[in-house]
Amino acid sequence: MFEYEFMVRAMLAGLVAGIICPAVGVFVVMRRYSFMADTLAHVSLAGVAAGALLGVYPAVTTLGFAMAAATVIEKLRSGPRLYGEAVLALMMSGGLALAVVLISLSRGMSIDIFGYLFGSVLTVGPGDLWLIAGLGCAVLAVIILFYKELYYISFDEEAARVAGLPVDRLNFIFVLLVAVTVAVSMRIVGTLLVSALMVIPVLTALLVAGSFRSAFITAVFLGVVSVALGLTGSYYLGIAAGGAVVLTALVFFVLTLSGKQLRQAWQRRLLAPGAPKKVKEELVTGDGS
């Protein structure tokens, strides 16, 4: 499949998305803010329609809409009378309504809504690849630079504020990271599935990881593998790329969860009253396999 340039571009862009989505998604899940990716993705769809309507490169308007929505979300969330979930629901409904109106106004123009909704490897051109690679490197650089601070506010925002960290500024940086990640990844997995690529590898990693760092590394690894296998499957099976990537990540989650549940059931059976005493001692002390 790598004899075709569009598949090479799609795989490279997909690997970028497979790295930055779980990398940002770890902090999103830890902050119980998984709904944010969905919200920004729906607003980004309005950016796509706006780009088609105005004759502007859609990637630019998509990124602009996502970052503007992230800024508004953080401003409203930090207000004294609005809850985070309510703000996200407000922005999602408003963004989707705006997208529908702009799409209706741009009727007759060349805009691949299906590709933006569910992802399309054919939409990644040479200019898109350079933009995705540049933004992906920027996201990783910010994560590396503020890793400890983001980790701190993800677990205990109030303690971080007491410790003297600029929590408001860090929150603003965080939502912009999510916005850029959504704008970059929606070309591969689509608007409706981008949040899944940010969340599912993280949930899988949390099932097996013993620390935050190991969860971070495992989630990124699973994201990269899911994208590679999903895009390969989409090419040879002729199915949607975004759906194939997300289903691959979901298979990893189901297998990991099933394996963990079977292991726990086996341990409970061995610890039952009728189990041999030696096996019980090994399980309790951790010497058993």
Side-chain angles (χ1 to χ4, degrees):
M1 68 180 183
F2 293 118
E3 294 178 356
Y4 301 97
E5 291 185 5
F6 76 91
M7 280 305 302
V8 175
R9 293 194 298 267
M11 184 63 73
L12 291 175
L15 292 178
V16 173
I19 293 173
I20 64 174
C21 277
V24 176
V26 171
F27 301 102
V28 170
V29 172
M30 288 300 178
R31 300 192 67 175
R32 295 172 175 83
Y33 229 35
S34 303
F35 198 40
M36 175 184 282
D38 266 330
T39 301
L40 295 179
H42 283 74
V43 176
S44 297
L45 186 60
V48 174
L53 183 63
L54 299 174
V56 181
Y57 186 42
V60 176
T61 53
T62 299
L63 181 61
F65 269 63
M67 296 182 71
T71 303
V72 173
I73 288 173
E74 183 56 28
K75 292 293 184 182
L76 293 177
R77 188 190 70 87
S78 59
R81 295 178 178 271
L82 294 177
Y83 294 102
E85 296 84 358
V87 172
L88 293 178
L90 174 68
M91 292 299 299
M92 173 179 282
S93 57
L96 187 58
L98 180 60
V100 171
V101 171
L102 293 178
I103 290 172
S104 65
L105 291 176
S106 61
R107 188 174 302 167
M109 298 184 181
S110 57
I111 175 172
D112 183 16
I113 295 299
F114 186 86
Y116 280 100
L117 283 174
F118 302 103
S120 174
V121 294
L122 297 177
T123 62
V124 181
D128 296 324
L129 180 60
W130 282 108
L131 180 62
I132 290 172
L135 292 175
C137 290
V139 169
L140 287 178
V142 173
I143 291 177
I144 293 172
L145 185 61
F146 295 100
Y147 178 83
K148 292 182 179 179
E149 290 82 358
L150 292 174
Y151 168 82
Y152 203 167
I153 66 173
S154 296
F155 279 91
D156 196 336
E157 185 173 306
E158 293 302 321
R161 195 181 299 274
V162 172
L165 290 179
V167 174
D168 294 335
R169 186 181 305 172
L170 291 171
N171 283 332
F172 182 70
I173 293 174
F174 170 72
V175 295
L176 288 184
L177 282 179
V178 179
V180 174
T181 303
V182 168
V184 167
S185 305
M186 64 183 295
R187 302 299 298 273
I188 304 301
V189 295
T191 300
L192 301 180
L193 300 174
V194 63
S195 63
L197 187 58
M198 296 180 68
V199 173
I200 296 177
V202 177
L203 296 180
T204 307
L206 292 175
L207 292 174
V208 297
S211 65
F212 183 84
R213 178 170 296 182
S214 62
F216 184 91
I217 296 173
T218 304
V220 171
F221 172 77
L222 290 173
V224 170
V225 174
S226 297
V227 168
L229 293 180
L231 289 181
T232 302
S234 72
Y235 175 79
Y236 287 107
L237 299 177
I239 58 179
V245 170
V246 173
L247 284 178
T248 303
L250 189 59
V251 167
F252 283 128
F253 174 78
V254 172
L255 292 177
T256 304
L257 180 62
S258 301
K260 185 173 182 178
Q261 289 179 341
L262 288 174
R263 183 175 182 272
Q264 291 174 347
W266 177 250
Q267 288 180 346
R268 287 195 298 268
R269 183 177 179 183
L270 292 178
L271 288 172
K277 182 178 180 181
K278 183 178 180 181
V279 175
K280 292 183 182 181
E281 292 176 351
E282 289 179 350
L283 288 173
V284 171
T285 57
D287 296 331
S289 60

